[in-house]
Amino acid sequence: MKRNILYITTIAILSTMLAACSISYKFNGAALDYTVYKTIHVGNFPIRAALVYPPLQQTFENTLLDYIQRNTRLQTVEGNSDLVMEGEITGYNLTPQAVTENAYASQTRLTITVRVRYTDNKQDSKNVDQSFSAYRDFDSSEMLTDVQDQLIEEITKELVDLIFNATLGDW
């Protein structure tokens, strides 16, 4: 009888200890203390590039906001906030790649560059003012207008990932 009580007591104590200990993993890379950071303001990212594709601004801003909302518990607000992310699209460039023996490019590269100013209103040392670039190549026999939307979607996703890791991810 004493042995059963001792056994049950030991199991109960071990169960309580194991329940109190837990390991937590975050695969999105967010490194925020949500007791300190509760809000973020994401400003507009106007296009300041020489070559302009108007839907790019809206695509980029929506992708950035969606990513922040999916991967953090921050509330997006207008005006005063704990964190501010703003900037501009500074580059939208086409360059020939993979020149053939006929001196024609067989590939064209679309590169998008975004300058981001990230302000941490709680810790100035975490502020970031940096440009991020990403690109995709496409076959030169294709018209840019035929592949542009798909390329912009892919490039934007990569840019948002880079920006998130450098700011909210604190990599």
Side-chain angles (χ1 to χ4, degrees), residues 27-143:
F27 293 106
N28 65 12
L32 295 169
D33 180 353
Y34 292 108
T35 61
V36 176
Y37 300 103
K38 299 191 184 323
T39 59
I40 186 168
H41 170 72
V42 179
N44 292 331
F45 282 78
I47 300 173
R48 304 266 190 255
L51 184 60
V52 175
Y53 181 61
L56 174 59
Q57 178 178 352
Q58 193 67 44
T59 300
F60 177 78
E61 290 171 358
N62 289 343
T63 304
L64 180 60
L65 276 170
D66 289 346
Y67 195 88
I68 291 169
Q69 290 172 343
R70 275 194 329 268
N71 292 289
T72 72
R73 294 186 305 212
L74 294 171
Q75 181 182 3
T76 54
V77 297
E78 293 296 322
N80 292 337
S81 62
D82 300 325
L83 302 166
V84 177
M85 193 176 298
E86 57 193 359
E88 57 266 342
I89 299 166
T90 58
Y92 187 85
N93 304 313
L94 292 168
T95 53
Q97 303 293 310
V99 177
T100 64
E101 66 273 358
N102 302 353
Y104 291 107
S106 61
Q107 296 278 305
T108 302
R109 176 169 291 173
L110 173 61
T111 305
I112 299 174
T113 305
V114 178
R115 179 178 177 210
V116 175
R117 288 177 302 281
Y118 171 79
T119 306
D120 184 327
N121 289 319
K122 304 287 184 178
Q123 280 186 280
D124 289 340
S125 64
K126 292 192 175 190
N127 291 350
V128 173
D129 187 344
Q130 182 178 342
S131 289
F132 299 87
S133 290
Y135 65 87
R136 291 291 182 276
D137 293 339
F138 64 98
D139 196 280
S140 292
S141 64
E142 295 179 286
M143 295 293 296

Side-chain angles (χ1 to χ4, degrees), residues 145-161:
T145 54
D146 294 338
V147 296
Q148 190 166 223
D149 289 332
Q150 178 187 344
L151 294 173
I152 285 173
E153 185 178 317
E154 292 172 13
I155 294 168
T156 297
K157 285 179 182 176
E158 183 177 340
L159 284 168
V160 165
D161 194 43

